[in-house]
Amino acid sequence: MNLRYRLISLSAPILALSLSVLLTSLILTAIGKDPIETFVLMYDYGTTGKSLVSVFNRFIPLYISAIAVAVGFKMGLFNIGVEGQYLLSALLAAAIGASFSVSRPLHILLIMLIATAISSVWGAIAGYLKVSRGIHEVISTIMLNYIGTGIIAYLLGQVFNDEDAANLIPQTTPLPETGQIPSLNNLLNIENLPSLHGFLPIAIFLGLLYYFLIWKTTLGYNLRITGQNPTAAKFSGVDPKRLTMLAMVISGGFAGLVGMGPLLSYHHQYSIDFPAGIGFAGIGVALLGRNHPVGMAFGAILFAFLERSSQILDLRDVPKEIETMMSAFILLIVVVFYEVIRRYIVTQQIKEASRQVDD
Amino acid sequence: MTRMKSKWLVLFIVFGLILTACGGSSDDAAEEVVVEEEPAETLDAPATTAAAAEPEEPAAKVCLVLDIGGLGDQGFNDMAYDGYNKALADFNVEGTFLEPDEGGENRGELLDLCAADGNDLVIGNGFLFAGAITEAAANHPDVNFAITDETFVQGENIRSMVFAEEQGSYLVGVAAALKTTSNVVGFVGGVDIPLIHAFEAGFIQGVRSVNPDITIISKYASVPPDFSGFNDPVKGKEIALAMYEEGADIVYHAAGGTGIGVCQATAEASAGGEKVWCIGVDTDQITTIGSAFPETQEYFLSSMLKQVDVAVYNAIRDVVNGDFGSGSDGGPAVIRENLASGGIDISYTGGYIDDIKDSIEAARADIISGAVTVSRERP
C-alpha cells in the first residue's frame, strides 16, 4: 500500500473522532449542558499529572487485550473470550503465585507464565471445539466466559478466599513482595503522583512481539493470508485446523497477560475489585487500531483517556454516561469509514492496474 | 468512473459542511473557553467558586458515594441518600453524590476525586469500600471519611458505622415464628457474604427461640465476586415464588434491590390460596416498596429497620459541629448501632404483628439486658 492510501485510511479514525465529538455535543446541548464547557472540563481533568498516570495505567491492560483480540482478527477469528481468559488466569496466577516465594524476577516471570499457560488452555478449548466440532468461536468463547465467571465465583469464594484478611471482601492472599513489580516513579523521577505501573515496558514489548510475530514470521504470514483468503491459503499448503488452534492458543496467551499489569503492579491480589470488562474493551481498541500495534496503542490511549477524564463529569452535574456514548460513536463511525475507505482503495487499485495494462 | 467521483464529491461536501458547522460554533465559544478555563483549573479549591455564587458560605462540603445498586433500591442506598439530603437541608451543607460504575471498580477513584475536590467529608456507603477508603484516607489525611457496615478499616480519619443486624433480624424471626401457620419460613440473602450471614443468623436464632421445629429455607441470589444479587428484582421474585411453592408462608429478605422482587412475589403467591407474607429490611419497606407497588402493601408483615440514614446524617452533623473524630480512643469513632441505641429496630407499621407485640418486646428487652445474646454466625 503506498503512502497516499495510508494517509487516506488514517483519515477514518480522525473523522470518527470529530464526528463523535459533534454528535456528543448535540446530545449535550439537547440535555441543556454546554458541550464546550464539558469538553474543556474533561480535557483539563484528563491532563492533570495524576490523571495522566491513571491513563497510562489503564492503557496497559487495554493494549494487551487489544493485541490478544487482534491475533484472532488477523486470521478472521473473533476471540470474544479474552474477558474470561484473563480473569480466570489472573485469579489462578494470583492464588498460585502467593503460595510460593522465589527471588523477584523469577517469581514475577513464573506468575506471568502460569497466567499465560492457563489462559492459553482456556482459549484452546474454543479452538478445539471449532476444529473438531465446527462450533463457531464466537458462541463458544461467550459461553466459556460464563463458565469462567462461575469457576471464578466458586474458587474465590470457597477455595482461595483469604480468611485472615482484615475485611469481608472475598480476596486471595496478597502476593509476597518478590511477586510484585515496583512502580516506575523512582526510575522516571516522578514525584508526588500515584504510582505508574511497572508493567508498562512489558506492554510495549508485547506490542513489538505482536508486530514481529504477525509480520515477520511464517506463522504470522499464514495467519494473515488465511484471514484474507482462506481458500487461497489452504491451497498454498496452510493447515487451517492447526492454524486455528495455534491462533486461539496465542490469542489466549496474550489474554493471560492482560490481568498481569493490574495484578503484579497494583492489586497484588485477586479480589472482587479486580478490574473487569477489559476483554470486551479490547475488541473496540483492536477495531479502532485496525489490528496494527501502533494504531491499537493510539486507540488504547484514547479510550483510557476518555474513561479517566469522564470521572470528573458527575461531580460537575454532567452525566458520565456521555463518555460511553462517545466511545460507542467512535467505534460505530470508524467501522463504517474503514469499510468505505477499503472499497475506495480497492477500486482505485483496480483502476491503476487496468491503466498499467492499457499502457 | 464519473459516478464514482461524484459520490466522493458529495461525501466531501457533506463533511465540509459539518466541519464548517463545527468551526462556526467554536468561534462563538472561543471567548467562552477563556472564561471557563479558570474554574476548571482550580480543581483543588472549587469551594471559592461555589461560595462566590451563593450568598451564604456552606458550613461544609460532603460527598456521598453510593454502592452497587445505586439509587432506587428502596433500601440501603436510598436510606443513605435520605440521611444525606436531610443533613444537607438542616446544616447548609454543600453536597455531591455519586454512583460507581456497574461493577463498582471505580469506587476508589470516586473517593479520591471527592477528597481532592475540597470535600470535608467523604462517605462510602457499604463494606465494599473498605479497601478503597483505607487507601483514599491515607492519601488525604486532611479529609474525613466515613464508611458503613465495616470496622476493618485503618486510618485516623475514618469513621466506621456498623449495625447489629443480627439483633433486629432476631426480632423479625420471633415475629415470623409466631405468625407462620405452615411452620416453614424463608430467608433470601442478596450475596453470600458474612455481612448478610448476620441477618440470616439472627433470623434463624429468633425463629428457633420460639419454635425449634420450624423449617427455615435459605437462599442467596448470587455468590461473590458476582454482586448482582443486591440488584436483581427478577431473581428475587423467582426465588421467593419457589419458596412459597415449597410451603413457606413468610419470607424475610436482606437483599437490597433484589428484595423488591421478593415482596412482589407475595401478591402472586397469595392469589391462589393461603395468604403469604414478606418481611422487609433496612427501611420500613411497607412505605417504600409498598408505595412504589401498592399491591404489595397488605403483604408486609414487618420490616427490620437498619437506620443507615441516621448514621449518615449524624456523620455529616458531627463534621459540621467539629465533633467528627471524637471517639473515646481519640481516633475516629466506630459508631455501633443496635437495639439499645435505636439504630436497629422492628417496624409495626401495618398493624399485622400488633397482637404479638408483647412477645417481641420481651425478646427486645432480653437482648438489651444481655439475657439473650444473638450471634452473627449461622448455627
Side-chain angles (χ1 to χ4, degrees), chain B residues 40 107 158 246:
Chain B
R107 52 174 87 80
I158 312 176
E246 276 181 67

Side-chain angles (χ1 to χ4, degrees), chain B residues 1 4 53 78 94 103-104 161 178 208 245 268 287 315 369:
Chain B
M1 192 164 136
M4 202 61 216
D78 281 2
E94 192 189 327
M161 306 179 289
L178 290 170
R208 294 268 151 84
E245 192 90 346
E268 202 173 315
T287 61
S369 71

Side-chain angles (χ1 to χ4, degrees), chain B residues 4-85:
Chain B
M4 202 61 216
K5 260 185 187 156
S6 63
K7 212 183 203 172
W8 279 100
L9 199 66
V10 170
L11 212 61
F12 277 112
I13 290 171
V14 169
F15 279 127
L17 283 174
I18 291 170
L19 287 177
T20 41
C22 273
S25 63
S26 61
D27 270 350
D28 307 329
E31 287 166 59
E32 242 176 291
V33 173
V34 180
V35 183
E36 287 308 324
E37 242 166 25
E38 218 159 323
E41 264 176 15
T42 54
L43 185 70
D44 292 328
T48 47
T49 43
E54 281 175 32
E56 203 180 346
E57 199 172 332
K61 262 188 85 175
V62 296
C63 179
L64 170 69
V65 187
L66 296 177
D67 207 353
I68 309 171
L71 277 190
D73 64 355
Q74 314 286 356
F76 189 59
N77 281 318
D78 281 2
M79 285 182 95
Y81 185 62
D82 284 350
Y84 152 89
N85 270 333

